[in-house]
Amino acid sequence: MGFVLLEGGNEFKAGMAAADKRAIAAGGGRAASIRIIPTAAAPDNNDLRAGANGVAWFQSLGATDVRSLPVIDRASAGRAELASELEAARIVFMLGGFTRYLAETLAGSRAWQAMRNAHRDGAVIGGSSAGAMALCESYFDPISETVLPGLNLLPGVCVLPHHDTFGKNWAPLLAGTLPKALLVGIDEETGMLNDGPNGQWTVYGKGAVTVYKPEGLAVFHHAQRFMLPVEVKEHI
């Protein structure tokens, strides 16, 4: 099994360098193939610009094989050549934007199956803001103000991105709506990667990760490690 990288938003800024450099290392180093998924930016026609920003960012960190793939709707998510490229990737990173559009575009698609296969073979699957939310079993859609099913790579988890700004305001509603879910708040320019011993997660970046436990909040900062009482769902 590979790694999962969850980021709280404001990707491609200085505070994210530590998390993304660690992801590059976990994925095999600077020559590792990195494929960016701009799906969440497609509804407002921002996918090309956002994808280009992602390519420039990872190249600035020393990566040499970076491409943004045009997975922008259900049709492109079913394209065999794009799925093949995703399956061969060592890092797949999903950008922020419209969470519901991202989750519904990828669910059950060739692209998502390819990403799962890559993860099974050791790749890093990551996302920022909407990208992180969609990887979980459930996510909060602020447009409809409802909880919707995610891609379920992380069963029982619901990520609250931008936790230090507006994400924390979702916690009371989600605690009542998802009483059995593990809420994880991730600040902007902050990430968490399960790269520690025995599946421990490590925090990287300028902010904190807040885990909503039954006994209270547990807050972790840069370089601190912690366990989540969940397991990444294995490929089926």
Side-chain angles (χ1 to χ4, degrees):
M1 295 291 285
F3 303 91
V4 178
L5 172 66
L6 304 174
E7 297 182 352
N10 280 8
E11 62 263 44
F12 313 145
K13 292 193 176 181
M16 293 312 313
D20 292 337
K21 285 181 178 178
R22 183 66 187 103
I24 291 172
R30 293 183 176 184
S33 55
I34 302 175
R35 298 297 177 260
I36 294 170
I37 304 296
T39 312
D44 57 358
N45 299 310
N46 194 36
D47 49 290
L48 290 178
R49 185 187 69 83
N53 287 342
V55 170
W57 168 254
F58 280 104
Q59 287 177 337
S60 76
L61 299 180
T64 59
D65 181 5
V66 192
R67 277 173 32 89
S68 178
L69 299 184
V71 179
I72 56 173
D73 52 26
R74 286 292 293 182
S76 54
R79 287 170 54 184
E81 73 276 16
L82 295 179
S84 178
E85 194 163 348
L86 285 169
E87 188 161 350
R90 304 316 299 153
I91 301 170
V92 180
F93 191 87
M94 301 193 298
L95 304 185
F98 294 82
T99 313
R100 183 171 185 173
Y101 185 82
L102 171 61
E104 292 180 352
T105 297
L106 289 184
S109 70
R110 271 186 169 181
W112 175 239
Q113 188 63 51
M115 292 166 65
R116 293 295 304 272
N117 291 346
H119 181 256
R120 175 201 62 195
D121 293 337
V124 179
I125 304 297
S128 177
S129 191
M133 296 167 71
L135 289 174
C136 299
E137 180 175 350
S138 304
Y139 64 88
F140 177 66
D141 176 35
I143 297 175
S144 63
E145 296 188 344
T146 57
V147 174
L148 297 172
L151 297 169
N152 202 28
L153 187 64
L154 292 173
V157 176
C158 181
V159 162
L160 287 64
H162 306 276
H163 189 260
D164 50 332
T165 54
F166 59 83
K168 59 190 175 186
N169 298 327
W170 301 347
L173 170 64
L174 293 176
T177 307
L178 297 170
K180 295 183 179 180
L182 183 68
L183 304 182
V184 180
I186 309 176
D187 291 353
E188 295 176 354
E189 294 187 58
T190 306
M192 52 186 280
L193 179 70
N194 59 339
D195 61 344
N198 302 313
Q200 286 184 321
W201 295 78
T202 309
V203 178
Y204 297 95
K206 62 183 287 187
V209 170
T210 302
V211 180
Y212 288 74
K213 296 183 176 182
E215 62 271 22
L217 302 182
V219 181
F220 304 95
H221 294 89
H222 180 73
Q224 290 186 312
R225 287 178 171 165
F226 62 95
M227 292 294 297
L228 286 183
V230 297
E231 293 186 7
V232 177
K233 190 172 183 179
E234 293 188 6
H235 168 81
I236 298 175

